Amino acid sequence: MSTQDYATRISQIVQEHEADIGADWMAQLEALTVRSNAVSKEQLRKHCQQFLTAFSTATRGGELQNIEHRSWDEVRDLLAEISSSRARGGSTPGETATFVFSLKQPLFTRLNAGFAGDQAVLANASWVVSTLLDKLGLYTIEVFQRARDQIIVRQQQELLELSTPVVKLWNGILALPLIGTLDSARTQVVMENILQKIVDTGAAIAIIDITGVPTVDTLVAQHLMKTIAAARLMGADCIISGIRPQIAQTIVHLGVNLEDVMTKATLADAFVVALERTGTSIIKKD
């Protein structure tokens, strides 16, 4: 029996017994799936029906060895959609791949009946289908991992933006409290946020508070100087606050030149200087 004959017969078996295969497949999935509710069951049933229809159509193309063939485009697109939605929904790669792997038993049951007269042909057909489903299952894992990686990258970007808030302290005065390590990626976000805030508010002073930065090395100092230089190009002067004794010693030992940058020990001290530079004074009320 040729590959085309196998493909035609397998497609016929799937079409003839689609309802029974779908019912058995759903039973398998419900027994294996931990997360189960009315909505997910309905969605699962819909995905099973769509996949069986697309699978039957694809097998008629006769290409059972290469799932990258154009005849499998619809199947791959459907699996990509299912895998991506499950990645967003919190499923695991194993649970996603199980969607395909669990189809083996219902299919093999029908193949046994369809090729009962010839055990050699049955063995070959079972091997072809098993290998095919293995490839499709691995494809779902690959798509799932790519989707999960994209989610992680997006979340990291969102965390970076949330961890670098620019606060308006007073008219013409901004504050940027930094907490945690300052690397190249975060420096870019810091620079973009503070420059945009300077444009939006027309601020003349920006206070960069590094009280929450655990250590300052040469790289961190360079990042700070780049941010200060960019702010100055936008017409705003910068004050660095939060210079603790340990950080002051480190900066001296590193030989970092901060002579042309105003530095203060605390954010409050820096705020007082900023008020003076903007022509504002604080008067204590009796």
Side-chain angles (χ1 to χ4, degrees):
M1 182 178 289
S2 65
T3 303
Q4 181 62 53
D5 292 335
Y6 278 123
T8 302
R9 185 61 185 133
I10 291 171
S11 179
Q12 289 174 349
I13 291 174
V14 173
Q15 284 183 313
E16 292 170 3
H17 304 281
E18 184 172 335
D20 293 334
I21 293 173
D24 291 350
W25 190 16
M26 272 296 300
Q28 287 276 339
L29 288 171
E30 289 178 0
L32 294 171
T33 303
V34 177
R35 300 173 179 84
S36 179
N37 53 56
V39 176
S40 63
K41 285 183 180 180
E42 183 59 33
Q43 188 181 50
L44 198 59
R45 187 174 291 105
K46 177 183 177 182
H47 287 161
C48 288
Q49 292 173 348
Q50 291 175 332
F51 182 84
L52 282 176
T53 302
F55 182 83
S56 175
T57 302
T59 52
R60 284 201 298 271
E63 186 58 58
L64 302 181
Q65 306 295 327
N66 180 20
I67 64 170
E68 298 298 328
H69 190 268
R70 63 178 180 274
S71 59
W72 291 95
D73 286 350
E74 184 179 354
V75 174
R76 291 199 314 276
D77 290 344
L78 178 60
L79 289 179
E81 179 184 345
I82 293 172
S83 299
S84 298
S85 65
R86 292 195 172 197
R88 293 189 296 270
S91 297
T92 66
E95 289 172 340
T96 304
T98 297
F99 173 77
V100 176
F101 293 149
S102 59
L103 178 58
K104 287 186 178 184
Q105 184 174 342
L107 269 181
F108 290 165
T109 300
R110 271 68 192 183
L111 290 176
N112 284 331
F115 294 98
D118 193 331
Q119 292 300 314
V121 173
L122 172 61
N124 288 334
S126 299
W127 175 255
V128 168
V129 171
S130 179
T131 304
L132 178 60
L133 291 177
D134 285 343
K135 291 178 179 179
L136 292 174
L138 291 175
Y139 175 78
T140 64
I141 295 178
E142 293 174 0
V143 175
F144 181 96
Q145 193 59 51
R146 287 198 298 269
R148 179 63 61 84
D149 290 343
Q150 291 173 355
I151 292 172
I152 292 173
V153 170
R154 188 179 70 251
Q155 289 175 341
Q156 288 176 337
Q157 183 65 28
E158 291 172 352
L159 286 174
L160 278 176
E161 294 175 355
L162 289 173
S163 65
T164 55
V166 182
V167 182
K168 182 179 179 180
L169 294 181
W170 201 261
N171 290 334
I173 303 175
L174 301 176
L176 175 61
L178 296 177
I179 300 175
T181 304
L182 191 63
D183 56 17
S184 299
R186 193 176 179 200
T187 300
Q188 185 63 32
V189 176
V190 167
M191 194 177 299
E192 291 175 357
N193 288 353
I194 197 168
L195 294 182
Q196 186 59 49
K197 198 69 173 182
I198 289 171
V199 172
D200 295 341
T201 63
I205 302 291
I207 301 173
I208 301 176
D209 184 69
I210 61 172
T211 304
V213 177
T215 58
V216 174
D217 54 18
T218 305
L219 189 59
V220 171
Q222 289 176 351
H223 291 326
L224 287 174
M225 297 306 294
K226 288 179 181 178
T227 303
I228 293 170
R232 283 177 174 172
L233 289 174
M234 298 297 295
D237 200 6
C238 289
I239 302 173
I240 299 179
S241 64
I243 304 294
R244 305 186 299 278
Q246 299 87 342
I247 289 181
Q249 293 177 23
T250 302
I251 291 175
V252 171
H253 289 157
L254 292 174
V256 178
N257 184 11
L258 294 178
E259 293 180 359
D260 59 341
V261 179
M262 174 67 72
T263 59
K264 288 295 179 180
T266 66
L267 178 59
D269 294 337
F271 184 47
V272 171
V273 173
L275 289 173
E276 292 175 353
R277 289 191 177 183
T278 56
T280 305
S281 60
I282 299 177
I283 301 175
K284 185 176 181 180
K285 185 177 181 180
D286 295 333

